[in-house]
């Protein structure tokens, strides 16, 4: 696969998640990060569009920054001659706490409403 250009940075990463047969996998790859924000990896494991994968830098930039980051597979290409398919990734972000949420309370049997 040759989708790398001068406007991209590459990082050695470890990608993990569940493949199309729902088997857990861990695979080394290269994350190509384009200037406009597009992120791509080439994977041997067959995965589906919409799958959640976790990407972790193989060599951390700093000792405290080697945590996996969640991504969703936006598109997956056809396998190349090395049986690797290009996956375009979208970073997922944690959901914030809902503003209108009510804290959970535990009711005793006497306090619970009658059914």
């Amino acid at each position: 696969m040759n989708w790398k250009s001068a406007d991209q940075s590459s990082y050695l990463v470890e990608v993990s998640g569940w493949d199309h047969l729902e088997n857990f996998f861990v695979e080394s790859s290269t994350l190509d990060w384009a200037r406009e924000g597009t992120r791509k990896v080439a994977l041997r494991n067959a995965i589906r569009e919409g799958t959640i994968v976790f990407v972790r830098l193989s060599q951390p930039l700093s000792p405290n920054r080697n945590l996996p980051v969640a991504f969703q597979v936006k598109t997956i290409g056809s396998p190349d001659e090395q049986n690797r398919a290009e996956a375009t990734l979208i970073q997922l972000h944690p959901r914030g706490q809902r503003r209108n949420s009510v804290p959970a309370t535990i009711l005793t049997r006497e306090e619970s409403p009658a059914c």
Side-chain angles (χ1 to χ4, degrees):
M1 299 191 151
N2 191 9
W3 65 82
K4 187 169 170 58
S5 71
D7 290 338
Q8 289 184 332
S9 298
S10 293
Y11 305 92
L12 293 176
V13 294
E14 189 176 85
V15 180
S16 59
W18 287 265
D19 66 13
H20 73 290
L21 297 175
E22 297 185 17
N23 294 318
F24 186 77
F25 72 91
V26 178
E27 180 177 339
S28 294
S29 186
T30 301
L31 173 70
D32 288 319
W33 193 325
R35 184 174 290 175
E36 74 276 358
T38 304
R39 297 169 189 126
K40 297 180 182 180
V41 292
L43 298 173
R44 285 195 175 96
N45 286 282
I47 57 175
R48 295 183 179 132
E49 290 179 1
T51 298
I52 306 297
V53 294
F54 300 92
V55 178
R56 184 181 66 82
L57 290 173
S58 293
Q59 297 184 0
L61 299 175
S62 71
N64 299 330
R65 298 192 44 107
N66 200 16
L67 299 173
V69 177
F71 288 89
Q72 185 170 23
V73 176
K74 181 179 178 182
T75 61
I76 188 83
S78 299
D80 64 6
E81 62 280 350
Q82 296 174 343
N83 203 31
R84 297 181 81 119
E86 173 188 309
T88 303
L89 307 176
I90 300 170
Q91 185 173 348
L92 298 177
H93 300 282
R95 294 182 191 170
Q97 184 177 3
R98 294 184 181 169
R99 291 183 184 157
N100 297 331
S101 64
V102 176
T105 58
I106 299 174
L107 300 176
T108 64
R109 188 169 196 93
E110 293 79 32
E111 296 173 324
S112 17
C115 297

